[in-house]
């Protein structure tokens, strides 16, 4: 870890991806590479003696387990409420404001996933220790954007100049929102939003991209963009967040947003296919293709999440 970059600037909490400057991103990517490039049993215990609490009011596989693994691999310890909606005192009516003022005495940082937009920000306002937003309703998922961009950096060696397509339920998906906020920091990037009318990207993100001089446009079928972009970022329909009538309206047009073996042939050889996962039926590729085709990057992306989160934890915990 001799190449590990020292912190040039400090975050107190991470609640939205706009907080991640290009300088900090570069530092976190460099440190994540450092963790990734050595055997796990050689990683120094950089957060030994520290405790991370994970408070998850919504389900998760990747985010919670990669954060917990990251903390353990850095020599720290973990306490968790993996189903905090039912098995923490939230079920008795305790507010996030009260919960955080208890948990911040038990842990040195708190990772929160919550079903309400703004919940992590409310917790961060009161917390004595760093709060990390692991997804807040339809709001943001900044550490997903961190690992998404880290993956792009590793796959292409740069972010500037790349053409992105974001496909699927862009109205409810928090990962695409956080990723757009990060892309606004780069040069000569373009984004094509591919969604049915009911799931179009919201205006606040389009206005943000305009302010940051990021070109964007919209299409209504995945085949219209597959041959023209470098990064195809697919997302699932967020069934848990949308109205039943919107889900019904989606059924007749859903094939326009599915990547399969047939339209995979349109994807450029250098392009990369990303997805925050879990994927459902928006990717219909056989396991053999997923395992062999270098354009399929979503499992590498999930793996990168461990190292990106290690870098973030080390940043937040070592003041
Ligand atoms: N991408 C992501 O947030 O996955 P999980 O819901 O499994 O944490």
């Amino acid at each position: 870890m001799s190449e590990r970059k020292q912190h040039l600037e400090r975050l107190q909490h991470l609640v939205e991806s706009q907080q991640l400057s290009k300088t900090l991103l570069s530092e976190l990517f460099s440190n994540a590479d450092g963790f990734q490039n050595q055997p796990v049993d050689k990683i120094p215990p950089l957060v030994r003696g520290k405790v991370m609490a994970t408070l998850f009011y919504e389900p998760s596989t990747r985010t919670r387990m990669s954060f917990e693994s990251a903390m353990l691999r850095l020599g720290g310890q973990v306490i968790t409420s993996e189903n905090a909606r039912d098995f923490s005192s939230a079920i008795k009516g305790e507010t996030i404001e009260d919960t955080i003022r208890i948990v911040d005495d038990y842990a040195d940082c708190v990772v929160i996933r919550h079903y309400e937009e703004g919940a992590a920000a409310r917790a961060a306002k009161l917390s004595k220790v760093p709060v990390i937003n692991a997804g807040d309703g339809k709001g943001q998922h900044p550490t997903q954007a961190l690992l998404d961009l880290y993956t792009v950096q590793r796959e292409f060696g740069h972010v500037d100049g790349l053409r992105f397509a974001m496909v699927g339920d862009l109205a409810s998906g928090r990962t695409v929102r956080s990723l757009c906020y990060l892309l606004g920091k780069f040069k000569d990037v373009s984004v094509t939003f591919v969604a049915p009318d009911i799931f179009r990207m919201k205006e606040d993100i389009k206005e943000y991209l305009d302010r940051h001089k990021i070109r964007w446009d919209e299409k209504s079928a995945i085949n219209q963009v597959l041959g023209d972009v470098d990064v195809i970022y697919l997302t699932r329909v967020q069934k848990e967040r949308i109205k039943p009538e919107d889900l019904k309206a989606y059924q007749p047009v859903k094939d326009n947003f599915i990547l399969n073996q047939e339209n995979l042939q349109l994807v450029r050889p250098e392009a990369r296919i990303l997805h925050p996962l879990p994927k459902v039926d928006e990717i219909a590729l056989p396991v053999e293709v997923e395992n062999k085709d270098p354009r399929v990057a979503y499992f590498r992306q999930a793996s990168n999440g461990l190292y990106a989160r290690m870098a973030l934890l080390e940043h937040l915990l070592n003041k």
Side-chain angles (χ1 to χ4, degrees):
M1 294 297 288
S2 55
E3 295 300 312
R4 203 158 55 82
K5 283 199 186 171
Q6 289 308 303
H7 307 310
L8 304 170
E9 53 186 89
R10 279 276 166 210
L11 282 183
Q12 195 182 353
H13 307 282
L14 178 58
V15 297
E16 54 184 25
S17 62
Q18 300 93 305
Q19 291 173 262
L20 296 163
S21 69
K22 276 181 88 170
T23 309
L24 181 53
L25 285 169
S26 161
E27 176 191 316
L28 294 174
F29 293 170
S30 165
N31 289 344
D33 280 344
F35 292 128
Q36 186 142 202
N37 292 339
Q38 63 186 320
V40 283
D41 60 347
K42 296 283 186 288
I43 294 173
L46 295 167
V47 301
R48 183 160 48 202
K50 309 263 186 187
V51 173
M52 177 186 77
T54 48
L55 269 179
F56 275 59
Y57 297 83
E58 281 190 334
S60 167
T61 297
R62 277 146 291 274
T63 310
R64 187 176 64 82
M65 296 189 82
S66 63
F67 261 119
E68 294 185 0
S69 177
M71 191 66 184
L72 295 171
R73 287 180 191 279
L74 288 169
Q77 292 176 291
V78 173
I79 54 175
T80 188
S81 183
E82 67 173 81
N83 183 0
R85 197 166 185 169
D86 292 331
F87 293 116
S88 77
S89 286
I91 195 83
K92 304 175 207 163
E94 186 167 69
T95 62
I96 192 79
E97 283 82 358
D98 282 358
T99 302
I100 196 68
R101 285 180 288 170
I102 304 301
V103 178
D104 71 358
D105 278 329
Y106 303 162
D108 300 291
C109 72
V110 185
V111 182
I112 299 179
R113 171 168 289 186
H114 203 281
Y115 48 91
E116 281 176 14
E117 192 171 340
R122 280 160 45 210
K125 256 190 197 158
L126 291 169
S127 178
K128 295 195 291 264
V129 302
V131 166
I132 301 171
N133 179 4
D136 61 329
K138 292 185 183 182
Q140 282 218 33
H141 192 348
T143 66
Q144 180 67 48
L146 174 68
L147 76 91
D148 293 343
L149 210 66
Y150 176 50
T151 301
V152 171
Q153 176 67 37
R154 281 180 70 84
E155 297 286 330
F156 292 90
H158 61 95
V159 179
D160 289 336
L162 293 177
R163 297 161 297 174
F164 290 74
M166 297 186 185
V167 186
D169 179 2
L170 308 181
S172 303
R174 55 198 176 199
T175 69
V176 283
R177 296 176 58 76
S178 286
L179 185 55
C180 283
Y181 282 123
L182 282 193
L183 293 182
K185 297 170 188 285
F186 290 83
K187 287 197 190 102
D188 196 24
V189 164
S190 67
V191 186
T192 299
F193 298 121
V194 186
D197 275 351
I198 44 171
F199 298 149
R200 284 171 67 182
M201 179 55 87
K202 290 186 190 146
E203 293 304 311
D204 62 333
I205 293 293
K206 295 173 185 171
E207 285 161 15
Y208 174 88
L209 294 177
D210 285 340
R211 282 200 302 282
H212 289 80
K213 306 202 174 349
I214 301 291
R215 285 169 285 129
W216 62 267
D217 62 356
E218 293 181 292
K219 304 271 187 208
S220 55
I222 191 171
N223 289 2
Q224 296 169 347
V225 292
L226 286 178
D228 299 330
V229 294
D230 303 296
V231 179
I232 300 144
Y233 190 100
L234 291 139
T235 65
R236 77 183 166 90
V237 173
Q238 306 269 305
K239 287 184 182 152
E240 67 276 33
R241 303 192 202 288
I242 64 177
K243 296 184 251 162
E245 57 266 34
D246 285 346
L247 195 53
K248 202 169 163 199
Y250 178 63
Q251 294 312 314
V253 294
K254 69 185 273 192
D255 288 352
N256 290 335
F257 307 95
I258 292 176
L259 182 70
N260 54 33
Q261 262 189 299
E262 196 183 336
N263 61 11
L264 181 66
Q265 294 174 34
L266 301 174
V267 175
R268 298 167 60 247
E270 314 78 29
R272 291 293 180 267
I273 301 156
L274 269 61
H275 192 304
L277 304 179
K279 63 185 169 70
V280 194
D281 46 12
E282 63 282 355
I283 296 182
L285 297 176
V287 169
E288 303 74 47
V289 173
E290 289 183 316
N291 282 346
K292 274 201 183 145
D293 192 318
R295 294 171 296 180
V296 173
Y298 36 86
F299 290 108
R300 295 194 292 278
Q301 179 187 0
S303 172
N304 288 335
L306 171 66
Y307 303 100
R309 287 176 173 130
M310 287 172 84
L312 178 67
L313 286 173
E314 198 265 332
H315 174 87
L316 290 170
L317 286 168
N318 283 335
K319 304 274 183 206

